[in-house]
């Protein structure tokens, strides 16, 4: 069974940066496609970024492109989301997710970490 645990959220001023971490147990990210999602109050959960298990292919939502970077450590145990130039619209609970099949639904979810950006 895979468990994902996020950390690194918090309160930051607009224009600031945060780095979220997602630690895995039970499986390394080399066998999973990984993603970061977020959900703001009153809004649906949205996909922010993905990283294919190859470690080479990434996807970013238009709203974060050029500001956020998804990456993993060499051991394939931790996935990061580096968030720069944050603005209040980035305020949300951020979730780490993983899936076994590239075309399947997301199999594993973390508990979420709150990111709040003040203006």
């Amino acid at each position: 069974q895979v468990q994902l645990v996020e950390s690194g959220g918090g309160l930051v001023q607009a224009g600031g940066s945060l780095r979220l971490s997602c630690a895995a147990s039970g499986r390394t990210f080399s066998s999973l496609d990984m993603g970061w999602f977020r959900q703001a109050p009153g809004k649906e959960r949205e996909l922010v970024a993905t990283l294919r298990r190859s470690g080479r292919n990434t996807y970013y939502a238009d709203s974060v492109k050029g500001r956020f970077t998804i990456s993993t450590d060499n051991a394939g145990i931790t996935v990061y989301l580096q968030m720069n130039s944050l603005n209040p619209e980035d305020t949300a609970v951020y979730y780490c997710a993983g899936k076994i099949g590239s075309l399947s639904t997301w199999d594993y979810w973390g508990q979420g970490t709150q990111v709040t950006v003040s203006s």
Side-chain angles (χ1 to χ4, degrees), residues 30-113:
S30 61
S31 62
L32 299 171
D33 287 350
M34 297 303 299
W36 284 96
F37 290 74
R38 67 184 181 186
Q39 187 167 20
K43 295 187 177 180
E44 293 186 355
R45 185 174 297 186
E46 66 169 330
L47 178 62
V48 174
T50 64
L51 177 65
R52 294 292 299 274
R53 64 200 68 199
S54 66
R56 294 190 293 271
N57 299 100
T58 58
Y59 160 86
Y60 296 97
D62 288 342
S63 58
V64 306
K65 200 172 293 183
R67 300 187 299 121
F68 290 13
T69 303
I70 186 171
S71 64
T72 186
D73 64 353
N74 291 333
I77 298 174
T78 305
V79 170
Y80 303 102
L81 185 68
Q82 178 66 44
M83 306 185 295
N84 299 327
S85 301
L86 286 162
N87 58 64
E89 289 70 38
D90 296 315
T91 295
V93 178
Y94 284 72
Y95 298 89
C96 173
K99 59 180 177 177
I100 300 172
S102 296
L103 300 179
S104 70
T105 58
W106 295 89
D107 301 293
Y108 310 109
W109 292 88
Q111 82 288 351
T113 185

